[in-house]
Amino acid sequence: MIYSDLKISSGDDLAVDEAGQAQIVTDRDCIIQDLIHAIRESGYLVEMVAELNPDKRKLLLQEIALLVEDDERIVPGTVTITENAPAVFGAPWSWDLIADTYDFKDITLKLGA
């Protein structure tokens, strides 16, 4: 184990086990959790969901990629983000982010709804 942190649930609370003890997230999952929180805190994803202009969405995707590449555990130049258009009009957009880590090969994050 190289990295560890307290696991945060989807409701932004500490995740606990049956005994009420805080759960720990390690290594690859720790990196993913940290990146998801960094992206959420940046506000870029909220802007992406609201943005209709495709050129501005591309710029926001570049900002997200740069933010992820700033993490010292990510290999620079390896971040790719694929935009998934909604299948039904009015459905939410989503994005797949893939990046290489130095210690755990690639990671994949699902962004959006």
Side-chain angles (χ1 to χ4, degrees):
M1 176 174 49
I2 299 172
Y3 308 107
S4 66
D5 199 355
L6 295 173
K7 185 175 183 179
I8 305 298
S9 70
S10 60
D12 290 333
D13 291 326
L14 285 176
V16 294
D17 61 18
E18 299 81 29
Q21 298 296 312
Q23 293 180 344
I24 303 295
V25 63
T26 61
D27 295 335
R28 172 186 297 248
D29 293 330
C30 182
I31 295 170
I32 291 170
Q33 176 175 277
D34 289 347
L35 292 175
I36 289 171
H37 288 147
I39 292 167
R40 280 182 42 200
E41 291 169 8
S42 73
Y44 294 140
L45 199 55
V46 173
E47 290 182 53
M48 285 289 298
V49 171
E51 186 56 62
L52 298 176
N53 183 322
D55 292 331
K56 289 184 181 178
R57 277 202 312 267
K58 282 183 182 180
L59 288 174
L60 287 167
L61 288 174
Q62 289 175 343
E63 291 294 333
I64 291 171
L66 291 172
L67 175 71
V68 170
E69 286 184 352
D70 276 346
D71 190 298
E72 63 187 22
R73 301 166 292 188
I74 301 297
V75 178
T78 64
V79 176
T80 59
I81 303 174
T82 305
E83 192 170 33
N84 303 312
V88 178
F89 181 75
W93 286 77
S94 65
W95 300 267
D96 295 326
L97 184 148
I98 300 172
D100 289 340
T101 66
Y102 286 107
D103 299 308
F104 306 106
K105 300 190 179 181
D106 68 322
I107 57 171
T108 302
L109 287 76
K110 293 279 189 191
L111 306 173

